[in-house]
Amino acid sequence: MTHQLPQLPYSYNSLEPHIDARTMEIHHSKHHNAYITNLNNAIAGTDAENLPLDEICKNISKYPLAVRNNGGGHYNHSLFWKIMSPNGGGLPEGTLLNAIIKEFGSFENFKEKFNSAAATRFGSGWAWLCVNADKKLCVCSTPNQDNPIMDIAECKGNPILGLDVWEHAYYLNYQNRRPDYISAFWNVINWAEVSRLYEAAL
Ligand code: MN3
């Protein structure tokens, strides 16, 4: 199986002013594409060539670091593009909103916890909302291109929302102001897709 760059479900400029077109274009066509090229090179001629990406991630401790970094990069960005939308923002509905309130006390508390996970991740990484093995929601962060489905992750679960806090995700527009980028992210979250992933993870 050769991995390919997924098409964005919207245009590069359609998340503006929250995420600028130049950042989106470089992030998708250069950064994400490079993870895929490097992943394909790293698994060429090995058994992993025929495995779905989530199966590779779940057993990532068995693979070389290049597979972990680039396989994670491909998995994480593929999710990231889907959970954003030009029509995003606002609040989730129904089952997911109820589950958030049940787990975190309120939507605002959840938002604070997620923002804190994103802001305090030192260096490069991701913040996540996951469904864990007990089918409960949890917030965490991972370094580099690791993610919570990897067997080496400290926090495990199925990610249903993820925020890229690598500098390449925001530096052109926000420079060192990561908190401003994190705030802006809430305006583009595709809650319909996050809800769909939540139901699927239950
Ligand atoms: Mn990125």
Side-chain angles (χ1 to χ4, degrees), residues 35-75:
Y35 294 124
I36 293 166
T37 303
N38 295 334
L39 172 65
N40 285 334
N41 288 337
I43 62 176
T46 74
D47 293 347
E49 222 176 0
N50 300 308
L51 291 176
L53 185 54
D54 59 335
E55 285 305 314
I56 296 175
C57 286
K58 284 172 189 168
N59 298 293
I60 205 70
S61 60
K62 296 178 183 160
Y63 294 95
L65 189 59
V67 177
R68 175 171 162 185
N69 288 338
N70 295 291
H74 181 25
Y75 181 96

Side-chain angles (χ1 to χ4, degrees), residues 27 31 35 77 126 145 164 166 168-169:
H27 201 175
H31 289 279
Y35 294 124
H77 289 85
W126 291 75
Q145 294 296 354
D164 188 344
W166 283 58
H168 69 224

Side-chain angles (χ1 to χ4, degrees), residues 5 8 10-16 19-34 81 168-169 172:
L5 184 67
L8 274 193
Y10 39 78
S11 59
Y12 287 134
N13 66 3
S14 61
L15 301 182
E16 290 193 342
I19 304 182
D20 64 287
R22 185 85 177 121
T23 296
M24 286 300 295
E25 182 177 1
I26 295 173
H27 201 175
H28 177 257
S29 70
K30 305 289 184 197
H31 289 279
H32 189 175
N33 200 45
W81 311 134
H168 69 224
L172 289 180

